[in-house]
Amino acid sequence: MVKEIERAGIPVAHMCTVVPISVTVGANRIVPTVAIPYPLGDPNLPPGDEKELRHKLVRSALKALCTEVEEQTVF
């Protein structure tokens, strides 16, 4: 689905916990996340630290969306 959305001219940032799978499916902009049960957070962190972790991941995804890529890129 990621490739079809990109083909329509809409950039996609694929946030994932297992980068090799994203590479296999052909995602162009890959943003590694934390862990399979909690891809965008870590419940073991204090609330303020978890919020900063989430902001960091979202900022990375936004950077990926704003970056022109010619081949698969891991951010």
Side-chain angles (χ1 to χ4, degrees), residues 2-70:
V2 170
K3 290 187 80 143
E4 291 303 316
I5 295 170
E6 290 259 352
R7 225 180 303 248
I10 303 168
V12 175
H14 192 236
M15 299 177 79
C16 64
T17 55
V18 186
V19 171
I21 293 174
S22 294
V23 171
T24 300
V25 299
N28 287 327
R29 294 171 186 84
I30 302 167
V31 179
T33 58
V34 180
I36 290 173
Y38 308 104
L40 295 176
D42 183 348
N44 297 316
L45 292 175
D49 292 345
E50 185 177 27
K51 185 175 180 180
E52 181 55 36
L53 171 64
R54 290 175 183 223
H55 281 185
K56 178 183 170 190
L57 290 167
V58 170
R59 283 191 301 267
S60 184
L62 290 171
K63 177 183 175 187
L65 288 172
C66 295
T67 304
E68 288 292 326
V69 296
E70 296 296 322

